[in-house]
Amino acid sequence: MLHFKHMTDKISFCLKCFVFITWQDPSSSDLVGSSKENNSCKASEAELQNSDYGEVDEEDYGVDDEDEGSDYDFDESYFNQQLADKFDDLDLPPGVEATVPWLQKAVTNVEPENFKSMSEIEDEIGQKYKFFKQFDTVEDFSDHHYANKPVGKTGKEWTKRIQHDWKLLENDLPASIYVRVSENRMDLLRAAMIGPQGTPYHDGLFFFDAQFTDSYPATPPVVYYHSGGLRLNPNLYETGKVCLSLLGTWEGHGCEKWNSAQSTMLQVLISIQALVLNENPYFNEPGYETFANNTSGQRSALDYNDTTFQHSCRTMLYSLRRPPQHFEDLVAGHFRECGRAILAACKYYMEGNKVGSVVPSNDNEDKELENTSAEGSSSSGAGKTQNKKVDLRAGRTVTFKTNMEVLFEELLMEFNVKGADTKKFCVEKLKKSQPAAS
């Protein structure tokens, strides 16, 4: 039923958009949809490549005309079951609970009024996100990367040291990092961090699995990055390897290296966020820092940021469709809150601005749109423009905009499902799809 639930998310979104668009313009039937992305830039995992959600063969579930007036008894539960079965075999990632009653599996003794509306689902997402703790313990991690690699024999000192790390994480985590540890497997930890503003990672969610080995703290923990098959940083490999001196996966000197008496898991997480997810990740590549002050190196860094932001958007889609265990509420709530800002950034970058540059606030954008609309209605204001482009990106490849247009549509759909404020973008899409007035 996991695959079926995600399909119903998409249908719920389409129904939601249909109601919205009909309210705006009853004559228009254009819906927000998704299309396949340009093959020039794609993830290696099938989940991120596949934007087709399967085809359903048409079948007549109605009552034949010849049965009209007969004693035929309509079995609604059987009808719903047949409709639901049409979606069960589709190879789709899981999503949130379905909100379309007639597509749900028939459940005995469940009244129609018990089905949750879209607004109720959105309110629930907001509430769960509001109370999502930065640090918490869970019972197990069945999908953890190291779940099938039990730690060796440990003693009281090992346990005391990990409890010390837990206390530091609980008290001193930055606001943009979330951690879950396991009660039954003290060696396991999972962290989510929000990409810093001013970088190509802004507003993204990035997940890491860590394991404290039986030799901890004499040796550093091992860390795995949930890449989704994407290489969005020289230090974060497609295979999940995290290249960091503190972890012993890269050479380092002095305080850069792990110190059993002083280094902590908190230090590891902060280092990843500050040193890896930075403004110019291109220069993280060994030896490339020497090109930071020449034109060629700066151009390469801008190209790398363009690619990195696309990968970051794909990582958002990957997380939305396959949220890591115990972080489902964080994923749904974060993108519900940040969806509008992310879509605005996508638009801003497609207009020619540099990835990571400051995007105008939503309030300013709305005022400019209102002014532009008012001026457009009079001939005297037709030649005026209020949109001042700053920090423009020269020499950008054509494929960037092509790929971003597709990613934008995918993100718009997913954010809508989570209840993000996407009305502005739906209106723009509707206006764009309408034929120009004669």
Side-chain angles (χ1 to χ4, degrees), residues 383-424:
K384 296 181 181 179
T385 177
Q386 298 291 327
N387 190 19
K388 297 181 179 179
K389 295 182 182 294
V390 295
D391 210 10
L392 293 180
R393 167 79 164 92
R396 175 175 278 159
T397 61
V398 178
T399 55
F400 175 81
K401 185 175 182 180
T402 303
N403 291 336
M404 285 307 306
E405 286 174 347
V406 177
L407 287 167
F408 179 88
E409 294 296 329
E410 294 284 339
L411 290 170
L412 178 59
M413 174 177 285
E414 295 291 345
F415 293 162
N416 240 300
V417 171
K418 297 300 183 283
D421 179 11
T422 59
K423 179 179 178 180
K424 168 180 178 287

mmCIF file of all heavy atoms in Angstrom, residues 383-424:
data_model
loop_
_atom_site.group_PDB
_atom_site.id
_atom_site.type_symbol
_atom_site.label_atom_id
_atom_site.label_comp_id
_atom_site.label_asym_id
_atom_site.label_seq_id
_atom_site.Cartn_x
_atom_site.Cartn_y
_atom_site.Cartn_z
ATOM 1 N N GLY A 383 5.899 50.516 -20.630
ATOM 2 C CA GLY A 383 7.341 50.386 -20.819
ATOM 3 C C GLY A 383 8.121 50.385 -19.527
ATOM 4 O O GLY A 383 9.333 50.284 -19.537
ATOM 5 N N LYS A 384 7.428 50.507 -18.392
ATOM 6 C CA LYS A 384 8.131 50.570 -17.112
ATOM 7 C C LYS A 384 8.461 49.179 -16.600
ATOM 8 O O LYS A 384 7.784 48.228 -16.891
ATOM 9 C CB LYS A 384 7.250 51.288 -16.071
ATOM 10 C CG LYS A 384 6.987 52.748 -16.421
ATOM 11 C CD LYS A 384 6.145 53.394 -15.352
ATOM 12 C CE LYS A 384 5.853 54.851 -15.684
ATOM 13 N NZ LYS A 384 5.020 55.476 -14.656
ATOM 14 N N THR A 385 9.469 49.078 -15.804
ATOM 15 C CA THR A 385 9.828 47.796 -15.174
ATOM 16 C C THR A 385 10.305 48.057 -13.764
ATOM 17 O O THR A 385 11.036 48.999 -13.510
ATOM 18 C CB THR A 385 10.915 47.053 -15.971
ATOM 19 O OG1 THR A 385 11.240 45.851 -15.250
ATOM 20 C CG2 THR A 385 12.171 47.873 -16.157
ATOM 21 N N GLN A 386 9.870 47.228 -12.846
ATOM 22 C CA GLN A 386 10.242 47.390 -11.448
ATOM 23 C C GLN A 386 11.274 46.350 -11.013
ATOM 24 O O GLN A 386 11.767 46.388 -9.910
ATOM 25 C CB GLN A 386 8.990 47.238 -10.564
ATOM 26 C CG GLN A 386 7.925 48.283 -10.838
ATOM 27 C CD GLN A 386 8.364 49.647 -10.403
ATOM 28 O OE1 GLN A 386 9.096 49.786 -9.433
ATOM 29 N NE2 GLN A 386 7.942 50.677 -11.106
ATOM 30 N N ASN A 387 11.532 45.385 -11.895
ATOM 31 C CA ASN A 387 12.392 44.271 -11.517
ATOM 32 C C ASN A 387 13.848 44.572 -11.841
ATOM 33 O O ASN A 387 14.245 44.582 -12.985
ATOM 34 C CB ASN A 387 11.937 43.002 -12.255
ATOM 35 C CG ASN A 387 12.637 41.768 -11.731
ATOM 36 O OD1 ASN A 387 13.181 41.787 -10.635
ATOM 37 N ND2 ASN A 387 12.622 40.708 -12.515
ATOM 38 N N LYS A 388 14.639 44.848 -10.814
ATOM 39 C CA LYS A 388 16.042 45.162 -10.994
ATOM 40 C C LYS A 388 16.860 43.903 -10.752
ATOM 41 O O LYS A 388 16.860 43.343 -9.663
ATOM 42 C CB LYS A 388 16.468 46.259 -10.026
ATOM 43 C CG LYS A 388 15.752 47.582 -10.264
ATOM 44 C CD LYS A 388 16.235 48.639 -9.295
ATOM 45 C CE LYS A 388 15.532 49.973 -9.541
ATOM 46 N NZ LYS A 388 15.973 51.001 -8.587
ATOM 47 N N LYS A 389 17.576 43.450 -11.764
ATOM 48 C CA LYS A 389 18.387 42.245 -11.636
ATOM 49 C C LYS A 389 19.754 42.617 -11.064
ATOM 50 O O LYS A 389 20.385 43.555 -11.501
ATOM 51 C CB LYS A 389 18.552 41.571 -13.010
ATOM 52 C CG LYS A 389 17.248 41.039 -13.585
ATOM 53 C CD LYS A 389 17.500 40.351 -14.921
ATOM 54 C CE LYS A 389 16.216 39.858 -15.542
ATOM 55 N NZ LYS A 389 15.597 38.791 -14.755
ATOM 56 N N VAL A 390 20.158 41.868 -10.061
ATOM 57 C CA VAL A 390 21.465 42.095 -9.457
ATOM 58 C C VAL A 390 22.220 40.783 -9.406
ATOM 59 O O VAL A 390 21.628 39.712 -9.384
ATOM 60 C CB VAL A 390 21.323 42.674 -8.026
ATOM 61 C CG1 VAL A 390 20.700 44.054 -8.081
ATOM 62 C CG2 VAL A 390 20.484 41.741 -7.147
ATOM 63 N N ASP A 391 23.548 40.906 -9.354
ATOM 64 C CA ASP A 391 24.394 39.720 -9.220
ATOM 65 C C ASP A 391 24.089 38.701 -10.318
ATOM 66 O O ASP A 391 23.890 37.515 -10.049
ATOM 67 C CB ASP A 391 24.181 39.091 -7.847
ATOM 68 C CG ASP A 391 25.438 38.382 -7.357
ATOM 69 O OD1 ASP A 391 26.486 38.549 -8.005
ATOM 70 O OD2 ASP A 391 25.372 37.656 -6.353
ATOM 71 N N LEU A 392 24.043 39.163 -11.571
ATOM 72 C CA LEU A 392 23.691 38.287 -12.686
ATOM 73 C C LEU A 392 24.804 37.291 -12.976
ATOM 74 O O LEU A 392 25.987 37.558 -12.747
ATOM 75 C CB LEU A 392 23.388 39.122 -13.933
ATOM 76 C CG LEU A 392 22.144 39.995 -13.860
ATOM 77 C CD1 LEU A 392 21.978 40.774 -15.167
ATOM 78 C CD2 LEU A 392 20.909 39.163 -13.589
ATOM 79 N N ARG A 393 24.409 36.173 -13.491
ATOM 80 C CA ARG A 393 25.321 35.072 -13.792
ATOM 81 C C ARG A 393 25.595 35.037 -15.286
ATOM 82 O O ARG A 393 24.706 34.721 -16.080
ATOM 83 C CB ARG A 393 24.678 33.760 -13.331
ATOM 84 C CG ARG A 393 25.340 32.495 -13.839
ATOM 85 C CD ARG A 393 26.595 32.169 -13.044
ATOM 86 N NE ARG A 393 26.996 30.810 -13.285
ATOM 87 C CZ ARG A 393 27.853 30.438 -14.239
ATOM 88 N NH1 ARG A 393 28.385 31.346 -15.033
ATOM 89 N NH2 ARG A 393 28.182 29.175 -14.408
ATOM 90 N N ALA A 394 26.821 35.373 -15.688
ATOM 91 C CA ALA A 394 27.182 35.388 -17.103
ATOM 92 C C ALA A 394 27.734 34.031 -17.516
ATOM 93 O O ALA A 394 28.367 33.328 -16.727
ATOM 94 C CB ALA A 394 28.216 36.477 -17.367
ATOM 95 N N GLY A 395 27.488 33.653 -18.762
ATOM 96 C CA GLY A 395 28.061 32.426 -19.300
ATOM 97 C C GLY A 395 27.432 31.150 -18.819
ATOM 98 O O GLY A 395 28.038 30.081 -18.902
ATOM 99 N N ARG A 396 26.226 31.217 -18.315
ATOM 100 C CA ARG A 396 25.543 30.023 -17.815
ATOM 101 C C ARG A 396 25.096 29.134 -18.965
ATOM 102 O O ARG A 396 24.679 29.619 -20.013
ATOM 103 C CB ARG A 396 24.360 30.427 -16.958
ATOM 104 C CG ARG A 396 23.488 29.281 -16.481
ATOM 105 C CD ARG A 396 22.414 29.782 -15.525
ATOM 106 N NE ARG A 396 22.938 29.935 -14.178
ATOM 107 C CZ ARG A 396 22.382 30.714 -13.250
ATOM 108 N NH1 ARG A 396 21.337 31.464 -13.560
ATOM 109 N NH2 ARG A 396 22.900 30.785 -12.033
ATOM 110 N N THR A 397 25.164 27.827 -18.775
ATOM 111 C CA THR A 397 24.760 26.892 -19.825
ATOM 112 C C THR A 397 23.249 26.913 -20.011
ATOM 113 O O THR A 397 22.495 27.181 -19.068
ATOM 114 C CB THR A 397 25.202 25.462 -19.483
ATOM 115 O OG1 THR A 397 24.560 25.059 -18.261
ATOM 116 C CG2 THR A 397 26.711 25.381 -19.318
ATOM 117 N N VAL A 398 22.814 26.617 -21.241
ATOM 118 C CA VAL A 398 21.379 26.604 -21.552
ATOM 119 C C VAL A 398 20.669 25.505 -20.774
ATOM 120 O O VAL A 398 19.511 25.651 -20.381
ATOM 121 C CB VAL A 398 21.171 26.396 -23.071
ATOM 122 C CG1 VAL A 398 19.684 26.320 -23.405
ATOM 123 C CG2 VAL A 398 21.829 27.530 -23.854
ATOM 124 N N THR A 399 21.353 24.400 -20.531
ATOM 125 C CA THR A 399 20.718 23.271 -19.858
ATOM 126 C C THR A 399 20.311 23.592 -18.422
ATOM 127 O O THR A 399 19.414 22.930 -17.882
ATOM 128 C CB THR A 399 21.667 22.046 -19.847
ATOM 129 O OG1 THR A 399 22.915 22.436 -19.243
ATOM 130 C CG2 THR A 399 21.907 21.535 -21.247
ATOM 131 N N PHE A 400 20.935 24.583 -17.810
ATOM 132 C CA PHE A 400 20.569 24.928 -16.437
ATOM 133 C C PHE A 400 19.095 25.324 -16.365
ATOM 134 O O PHE A 400 18.338 24.791 -15.544
ATOM 135 C CB PHE A 400 21.441 26.071 -15.912
ATOM 136 C CG PHE A 400 21.023 26.557 -14.544
ATOM 137 C CD1 PHE A 400 21.410 25.870 -13.411
ATOM 138 C CD2 PHE A 400 20.233 27.701 -14.398
ATOM 139 C CE1 PHE A 400 21.021 26.307 -12.141
ATOM 140 C CE2 PHE A 400 19.838 28.139 -13.148
ATOM 141 C CZ PHE A 400 20.237 27.445 -12.019
ATOM 142 N N LYS A 401 18.689 26.236 -17.222
ATOM 143 C CA LYS A 401 17.292 26.684 -17.185
ATOM 144 C C LYS A 401 16.345 25.558 -17.574
ATOM 145 O O LYS A 401 15.279 25.388 -16.973
ATOM 146 C CB LYS A 401 17.096 27.880 -18.118
ATOM 147 C CG LYS A 401 15.685 28.471 -18.043
ATOM 148 C CD LYS A 401 15.543 29.727 -18.879
ATOM 149 C CE LYS A 401 14.150 30.322 -18.736
ATOM 150 N NZ LYS A 401 13.989 31.563 -19.545
ATOM 151 N N THR A 402 16.732 24.763 -18.574
ATOM 152 C CA THR A 402 15.888 23.650 -19.008
ATOM 153 C C THR A 402 15.665 22.662 -17.861
ATOM 154 O O THR A 402 14.534 22.245 -17.592
ATOM 155 C CB THR A 402 16.532 22.916 -20.197
ATOM 156 O OG1 THR A 402 16.762 23.850 -21.253
ATOM 157 C CG2 THR A 402 15.641 21.791 -20.689
ATOM 158 N N ASN A 403 16.746 22.297 -17.193
ATOM 159 C CA ASN A 403 16.640 21.363 -16.073
ATOM 160 C C ASN A 403 15.867 21.956 -14.903
ATOM 161 O O ASN A 403 15.065 21.265 -14.259
ATOM 162 C CB ASN A 403 18.033 20.944 -15.605
ATOM 163 C CG ASN A 403 18.753 20.083 -16.617
ATOM 164 O OD1 ASN A 403 18.129 19.433 -17.453
ATOM 165 N ND2 ASN A 403 20.072 20.075 -16.551
ATOM 166 N N MET A 404 16.094 23.239 -14.632
ATOM 167 C CA MET A 404 15.420 23.876 -13.508
ATOM 168 C C MET A 404 13.927 24.012 -13.745
ATOM 169 O O MET A 404 13.133 23.939 -12.800
ATOM 170 C CB MET A 404 16.037 25.253 -13.230
ATOM 171 C CG MET A 404 17.392 25.218 -12.539
ATOM 172 S SD MET A 404 17.400 24.246 -11.016
ATOM 173 C CE MET A 404 16.057 24.992 -10.106
ATOM 174 N N GLU A 405 13.524 24.204 -14.979
ATOM 175 C CA GLU A 405 12.091 24.285 -15.277
ATOM 176 C C GLU A 405 11.392 22.983 -14.920
ATOM 177 O O GLU A 405 10.274 22.976 -14.385
ATOM 178 C CB GLU A 405 11.890 24.625 -16.756
ATOM 179 C CG GLU A 405 12.204 26.081 -17.099
ATOM 180 C CD GLU A 405 12.147 26.354 -18.591
ATOM 181 O OE1 GLU A 405 12.112 25.359 -19.370
ATOM 182 O OE2 GLU A 405 12.149 27.538 -18.975
ATOM 183 N N VAL A 406 12.039 21.866 -15.228
ATOM 184 C CA VAL A 406 11.464 20.564 -14.908
ATOM 185 C C VAL A 406 11.466 20.332 -13.401
ATOM 186 O O VAL A 406 10.463 19.893 -12.821
ATOM 187 C CB VAL A 406 12.241 19.434 -15.621
ATOM 188 C CG1 VAL A 406 11.698 18.070 -15.223
ATOM 189 C CG2 VAL A 406 12.159 19.615 -17.129
ATOM 190 N N LEU A 407 12.584 20.646 -12.742
ATOM 191 C CA LEU A 407 12.658 20.479 -11.298
ATOM 192 C C LEU A 407 11.649 21.364 -10.582
ATOM 193 O O LEU A 407 11.053 20.970 -9.567
ATOM 194 C CB LEU A 407 14.076 20.809 -10.815
ATOM 195 C CG LEU A 407 15.144 19.765 -11.145
ATOM 196 C CD1 LEU A 407 16.541 20.334 -10.903
ATOM 197 C CD2 LEU A 407 14.938 18.515 -10.312
ATOM 198 N N PHE A 408 11.440 22.555 -11.105
ATOM 199 C CA PHE A 408 10.463 23.473 -10.517
ATOM 200 C C PHE A 408 9.076 22.844 -10.507
ATOM 201 O O PHE A 408 8.350 22.907 -9.505
ATOM 202 C CB PHE A 408 10.448 24.791 -11.302
ATOM 203 C CG PHE A 408 9.456 25.794 -10.781
ATOM 204 C CD1 PHE A 408 9.814 26.675 -9.774
ATOM 205 C CD2 PHE A 408 8.162 25.854 -11.287
ATOM 206 C CE1 PHE A 408 8.895 27.610 -9.285
ATOM 207 C CE2 PHE A 408 7.241 26.770 -10.802
ATOM 208 C CZ PHE A 408 7.611 27.649 -9.808
ATOM 209 N N GLU A 409 8.676 22.242 -11.627
ATOM 210 C CA GLU A 409 7.353 21.616 -11.716
ATOM 211 C C GLU A 409 7.236 20.456 -10.733
ATOM 212 O O GLU A 409 6.196 20.275 -10.084
ATOM 213 C CB GLU A 409 7.102 21.116 -13.138
ATOM 214 C CG GLU A 409 7.006 22.216 -14.184
ATOM 215 C CD GLU A 409 5.825 23.141 -13.950
ATOM 216 O OE1 GLU A 409 4.799 22.671 -13.419
ATOM 217 O OE2 GLU A 409 5.924 24.330 -14.293
ATOM 218 N N GLU A 410 8.289 19.663 -10.599
ATOM 219 C CA GLU A 410 8.278 18.534 -9.670
ATOM 220 C C GLU A 410 8.162 19.029 -8.228
ATOM 221 O O GLU A 410 7.387 18.490 -7.432
ATOM 222 C CB GLU A 410 9.561 17.715 -9.843
ATOM 223 C CG GLU A 410 9.686 17.011 -11.183
ATOM 224 C CD GLU A 410 8.799 15.782 -11.280
ATOM 225 O OE1 GLU A 410 8.396 15.254 -10.226
ATOM 226 O OE2 GLU A 410 8.504 15.368 -12.405
ATOM 227 N N LEU A 411 8.943 20.042 -7.895
ATOM 228 C CA LEU A 411 8.911 20.585 -6.540
ATOM 229 C C LEU A 411 7.567 21.238 -6.237
ATOM 230 O O LEU A 411 7.035 21.105 -5.118
ATOM 231 C CB LEU A 411 10.041 21.607 -6.360
ATOM 232 C CG LEU A 411 11.461 21.044 -6.322
ATOM 233 C CD1 LEU A 411 12.486 22.169 -6.393
ATOM 234 C CD2 LEU A 411 11.688 20.196 -5.073
ATOM 235 N N LEU A 412 7.017 21.932 -7.207
ATOM 236 C CA LEU A 412 5.716 22.575 -7.022
ATOM 237 C C LEU A 412 4.663 21.546 -6.640
ATOM 238 O O LEU A 412 3.853 21.759 -5.726
ATOM 239 C CB LEU A 412 5.309 23.318 -8.304
ATOM 240 C CG LEU A 412 3.935 24.003 -8.301
ATOM 241 C CD1 LEU A 412 3.844 25.040 -7.189
ATOM 242 C CD2 LEU A 412 3.667 24.645 -9.653
ATOM 243 N N MET A 413 4.673 20.416 -7.319
ATOM 244 C CA MET A 413 3.701 19.366 -7.015
ATOM 245 C C MET A 413 3.926 18.804 -5.612
ATOM 246 O O MET A 413 2.980 18.679 -4.814
ATOM 247 C CB MET A 413 3.800 18.243 -8.046
ATOM 248 C CG MET A 413 2.917 17.039 -7.722
ATOM 249 S SD MET A 413 2.968 15.752 -8.986
ATOM 250 C CE MET A 413 1.975 16.510 -10.264
ATOM 251 N N GLU A 414 5.172 18.478 -5.277
ATOM 252 C CA GLU A 414 5.457 17.878 -3.979
ATOM 253 C C GLU A 414 5.160 18.850 -2.831
ATOM 254 O O GLU A 414 4.610 18.457 -1.802
ATOM 255 C CB GLU A 414 6.925 17.437 -3.914
ATOM 256 C CG GLU A 414 7.297 16.330 -4.875
ATOM 257 C CD GLU A 414 6.662 14.993 -4.528
ATOM 258 O OE1 GLU A 414 6.169 14.842 -3.385
ATOM 259 O OE2 GLU A 414 6.653 14.100 -5.387
ATOM 260 N N PHE A 415 5.519 20.118 -3.000
ATOM 261 C CA PHE A 415 5.266 21.108 -1.951
ATOM 262 C C PHE A 415 3.767 21.321 -1.765
ATOM 263 O O PHE A 415 3.298 21.554 -0.649
ATOM 264 C CB PHE A 415 5.940 22.436 -2.286
ATOM 265 C CG PHE A 415 7.446 22.374 -2.277
ATOM 266 C CD1 PHE A 415 8.216 23.355 -2.902
ATOM 267 C CD2 PHE A 415 8.112 21.340 -1.643
ATOM 268 C CE1 PHE A 415 9.606 23.303 -2.889
ATOM 269 C CE2 PHE A 415 9.503 21.272 -1.631
ATOM 270 C CZ PHE A 415 10.250 22.262 -2.255
ATOM 271 N N ASN A 416 3.024 21.261 -2.852
ATOM 272 C CA ASN A 416 1.577 21.401 -2.757
ATOM 273 C C ASN A 416 0.971 20.302 -1.911
ATOM 274 O O ASN A 416 0.066 20.544 -1.108
ATOM 275 C CB ASN A 416 0.959 21.378 -4.164
ATOM 276 C CG ASN A 416 0.194 22.655 -4.463
ATOM 277 O OD1 ASN A 416 -0.751 22.989 -3.781
ATOM 278 N ND2 ASN A 416 0.623 23.368 -5.491
ATOM 279 N N VAL A 417 1.463 19.091 -2.101
ATOM 280 C CA VAL A 417 0.968 17.954 -1.321
ATOM 281 C C VAL A 417 1.185 18.187 0.168
ATOM 282 O O VAL A 417 0.366 17.785 0.993
ATOM 283 C CB VAL A 417 1.669 16.648 -1.773
ATOM 284 C CG1 VAL A 417 1.329 15.496 -0.838
ATOM 285 C CG2 VAL A 417 1.252 16.285 -3.198
ATOM 286 N N LYS A 418 2.282 18.843 0.512
ATOM 287 C CA LYS A 418 2.608 19.096 1.920
ATOM 288 C C LYS A 418 1.927 20.356 2.456
ATOM 289 O O LYS A 418 2.096 20.697 3.619
ATOM 290 C CB LYS A 418 4.135 19.213 2.089
ATOM 291 C CG LYS A 418 4.889 17.939 1.732
ATOM 292 C CD LYS A 418 4.454 16.777 2.615
ATOM 293 C CE LYS A 418 5.248 15.521 2.319
ATOM 294 N NZ LYS A 418 4.833 14.830 1.109
ATOM 295 N N GLY A 419 1.192 21.070 1.612
ATOM 296 C CA GLY A 419 0.457 22.242 2.080
ATOM 297 C C GLY A 419 1.244 23.535 2.072
ATOM 298 O O GLY A 419 0.875 24.490 2.763
ATOM 299 N N ALA A 420 2.339 23.590 1.300
ATOM 300 C CA ALA A 420 3.121 24.827 1.222
ATOM 301 C C ALA A 420 2.320 25.924 0.521
ATOM 302 O O ALA A 420 1.389 25.641 -0.244
ATOM 303 C CB ALA A 420 4.427 24.572 0.474
ATOM 304 N N ASP A 421 2.693 27.163 0.769
ATOM 305 C CA ASP A 421 2.023 28.305 0.149
ATOM 306 C C ASP A 421 2.528 28.457 -1.288
ATOM 307 O O ASP A 421 3.524 29.132 -1.546
ATOM 308 C CB ASP A 421 2.306 29.572 0.956
ATOM 309 C CG ASP A 421 1.662 30.806 0.345
ATOM 310 O OD1 ASP A 421 0.827 30.643 -0.576
ATOM 311 O OD2 ASP A 421 1.999 31.931 0.769
ATOM 312 N N THR A 422 1.842 27.833 -2.232
ATOM 313 C CA THR A 422 2.259 27.856 -3.632
ATOM 314 C C THR A 422 1.252 28.594 -4.523
ATOM 315 O O THR A 422 1.336 28.507 -5.746
ATOM 316 C CB THR A 422 2.428 26.419 -4.164
ATOM 317 O OG1 THR A 422 1.176 25.724 -4.041
ATOM 318 C CG2 THR A 422 3.481 25.667 -3.369
ATOM 319 N N LYS A 423 0.318 29.309 -3.910
ATOM 320 C CA LYS A 423 -0.740 29.963 -4.679
ATOM 321 C C LYS A 423 -0.176 30.896 -5.750
ATOM 322 O O LYS A 423 -0.641 30.898 -6.899
ATOM 323 C CB LYS A 423 -1.652 30.752 -3.729
ATOM 324 C CG LYS A 423 -2.785 31.492 -4.433
ATOM 325 C CD LYS A 423 -3.658 32.219 -3.421
ATOM 326 C CE LYS A 423 -4.757 33.006 -4.116
ATOM 327 N NZ LYS A 423 -5.617 33.736 -3.142
ATOM 328 N N LYS A 424 0.843 31.669 -5.378
ATOM 329 C CA LYS A 424 1.443 32.634 -6.303
ATOM 330 C C LYS A 424 1.935 31.943 -7.575
ATOM 331 O O LYS A 424 1.729 32.430 -8.691
ATOM 332 C CB LYS A 424 2.591 33.350 -5.595
ATOM 333 C CG LYS A 424 3.495 34.183 -6.497
ATOM 334 C CD LYS A 424 4.585 34.827 -5.661
ATOM 335 C CE LYS A 424 5.543 35.624 -6.520
ATOM 336 N NZ LYS A 424 6.429 34.752 -7.323
#
